[in-house]
Amino acid sequence: MFLGLFHNYIFLVILSLKIIPINAYSPYNSSFTSEHIRYLQNETQALFDHSWKSYMKYGFPFDEITPISCEPLGPDFDDYENTVRNDARGNISSMVLDNIDTLIIFERWDELEYILKYLSDNKQDFFNQDTVVQVFETCIRHLGGLLSAHLLLTDITNKPITLSTKYQPLREISNKYNGFLLDMAHDLGLRLIPSYQTSTTNIPLPRINLAYGLKKVPPKLQRDACTSGVMTPVLEFTLLSRLTGDRQFEYYSQLSFWKLWSSKSALNLLPMTIDPIANQWKDSITGIGASIDSFYEYAAKSAILFNDDYMWTVFKTSYRALLSHSAQGGKGTMIFPNVGIYDGVVFSPWIDSLGAFWSGLQVLTGQLQDAIKTHVVYLKIWDFSI
């Protein structure tokens, strides 16, 4: 029941956003007035439409499209070790899987119907690809995209939700939807879970071949796993188990999550990189940016989605530790540089771009005053860069 209420609430909030066309030029230079917010909403839609239409015209059904040359982009079939290109591109129309729910949010009903038909027509062997992908990226982007879209489509038909007439097309699409996205998610999950099952350390191997499992993954690609990669999939895998009744996804991902959490330092800080084969941490620093960012995010979201007090304790403990040992700044600002997990000494005085998500997570978890202080730092960086 909690899952349905959670998704209904989020969906109704989304539907309540009224987009009013505004001129392309923004006259707003300061606070977020209601007019400014409407302008930003409209601008966001325009950015999405430009990207989506360009992808469908020049890139579909490949994974992505190159931004300058507008050429289709997929994995490097000649080199499994080209991880920069291959990790998030498995020849599975990544852009499509990433944006099914976005098409719903932006009310692109014709595009949604087209994509659902494309996926339904090709679902049988969609993920049977001889490509080596990163389990983490594939889980949060593609498995998560399928699950999110499935929940949005089924909540409309399974719950007593009253929609205005403008959303009648969504009602009609939902009535015709037969749940095949969940079947695809289960298929993808079965291709990813061996990375957990075959590990002798209960730490998942970071990469897998979608068609042939672990046996076609070069061994050198399995020696580095980041904290985010090990712990973040717990949300999608747990949700997949709850929706399908196949408990193995929740079991193995929870096992890995709690194993790493139990290895935190006395300061309640986790390192960023681990060797899953040797069962050894490869560094002794932490922060909120690359390699560990989504650990905090998904601990909090798992607590909310599954009403899980243990996950909430993980987030609270981690957040307090970061405030005590990482947070730096003056009266009106706050940054979280990388620090040593054993002594809390600043390791690097810089912050990275992925840390920009942090203020959003602070808002989600009720840390509003802290969020204002961290957001203003990245806002000023953005203002300076443009």
Side-chain angles (χ1 to χ4, degrees), residues 46-67:
L47 288 170
F48 172 77
D49 286 337
H50 172 76
S51 300
W52 179 257
K53 290 176 181 178
S54 296
Y55 166 72
M56 292 301 293
K57 182 176 181 179
Y58 300 108
F60 178 78
F62 289 82
D63 287 306
E64 296 176 4
I65 179 176
T66 54

Side-chain angles (χ1 to χ4, degrees), residues 334-335 350-353 355-356 374-386:
M334 183 184 295
I335 63 171
W350 44 264
I351 54 177
D352 68 32
S353 58
T374 54
H375 177 260
V376 72
V377 174
Y378 286 96
L379 180 63
K380 292 303 180 182
I381 293 174
W382 175 255
D383 287 343
F384 179 78
S385 66
I386 60 175

Side-chain angles (χ1 to χ4, degrees), residues 92 94 97-98 100-101 127 134-151 181-193 196 232-241 243-244 249 253 298:
I92 54 176
S94 297
L97 301 181
D98 245 346
I100 311 172
D101 51 359
F127 295 115
Q134 190 182 70
V135 175
F136 165 54
E137 289 287 350
T138 306
C139 189
I140 66 172
R141 293 178 58 184
H142 310 134
L143 180 60
L146 290 167
L147 293 174
S148 176
H150 170 76
L151 286 171
L181 294 178
L182 181 58
D183 295 333
M184 292 183 68
H186 191 213
D187 177 28
L188 180 57
L190 291 173
R191 296 173 187 273
L192 298 176
I193 201 63
Y196 286 77
T232 298
V234 70
L235 189 150
E236 282 84 8
F237 275 146
T238 298
L239 182 57
L240 181 60
S241 284
L243 292 174
T244 63
F249 307 107
S253 61
Y298 275 54

Side-chain angles (χ1 to χ4, degrees), residues 108-376:
R108 302 301 188 257
W109 311 130
D110 290 341
E111 291 93 330
L112 176 62
E113 284 195 287
Y114 180 84
I115 289 303
L116 289 176
K117 185 178 186 307
Y118 161 70
L119 292 174
S120 180
D121 290 345
N122 295 279
K123 63 183 178 181
Q124 191 65 35
D125 294 310
F126 195 80
F127 295 115
N128 190 32
Q129 305 292 334
D130 184 11
T131 53
V132 173
V133 298
Q134 190 182 70
V135 175
F136 165 54
E137 289 287 350
T138 306
C139 189
I140 66 172
R141 293 178 58 184
H142 310 134
L143 180 60
L146 290 167
L147 293 174
S148 176
H150 170 76
L151 286 171
L152 287 172
L153 290 170
T154 53
D155 271 2
I156 296 301
T157 53
N158 295 341
K159 305 294 189 300
I161 299 176
T162 301
L163 299 176
S164 64
T165 55
K166 66 178 290 189
Y167 296 108
Q168 185 60 30
L170 177 59
R171 175 78 69 183
E172 294 173 358
I173 293 171
S174 299
N175 287 338
K176 292 185 292 184
Y177 173 64
N178 63 5
F180 75 91
L181 294 178
L182 181 58
D183 295 333
M184 292 183 68
H186 191 213
D187 177 28
L188 180 57
L190 291 173
R191 296 173 187 273
L192 298 176
I193 201 63
S195 65
Y196 286 77
Q197 294 171 321
T198 56
S199 172
T200 59
T201 62
N202 293 325
I203 302 171
L205 300 173
R207 295 178 177 86
I208 201 162
N209 186 297
L210 288 176
Y212 300 103
L214 296 168
K215 61 184 179 182
K216 291 192 70 173
V217 182
K220 67 168 66 175
L221 301 185
Q222 304 288 42
R223 301 307 301 241
D224 290 318
C226 66
T227 301
S228 288
V230 173
M231 304 182 80
T232 298
V234 70
L235 189 150
E236 282 84 8
F237 275 146
T238 298
L239 182 57
L240 181 60
S241 284
R242 303 289 177 89
L243 292 174
T244 63
D246 189 341
R247 310 303 295 184
Q248 62 179 317
F249 307 107
E250 180 175 2
Y251 172 79
Y252 286 109
S253 61
Q254 293 274 351
L255 189 65
S256 297
F257 183 95
W258 293 109
K259 173 169 182 173
L260 253 64
W261 177 243
S262 68
S263 67
K264 62 187 179 298
S265 72
L267 301 183
N268 290 322
L269 298 172
L270 278 172
M272 295 182 175
T273 312
I274 194 169
D275 183 331
I277 298 174
N279 194 28
Q280 293 180 338
W281 289 107
K282 302 188 72 172
D283 62 49
S284 58
I285 60 172
T286 196
I288 63 168
S291 297
I292 198 169
D293 51 340
S294 57
F295 151 64
Y296 309 108
E297 175 190 358
Y298 275 54
K301 290 181 177 179
S302 291
I304 296 169
L305 186 59
F306 303 116
N307 201 19
D308 190 325
D309 291 338
Y310 296 105
M311 283 290 184
W312 184 243
T313 298
V314 169
F315 174 76
K316 287 197 302 181
T317 302
S318 298
Y319 189 77
R320 289 168 181 165
L322 289 169
L323 286 180
S324 298
H325 306 293
S326 173
Q328 310 281 324
K331 182 178 180 180
T333 61
M334 183 184 295
I335 63 171
F336 291 81
N338 292 341
V339 298
I341 66 165
Y342 300 113
D343 53 20
V345 174
V346 174
F347 178 82
S348 53
W350 44 264
I351 54 177
D352 68 32
S353 58
L354 283 181
F357 89 101
W358 190 246
S359 55
L361 181 59
Q362 289 173 312
V363 171
L364 179 66
T365 55
Q367 316 301 323
L368 299 183
Q369 293 305 311
D370 290 349
I372 293 171
K373 294 177 182 179
T374 54
H375 177 260
V376 72

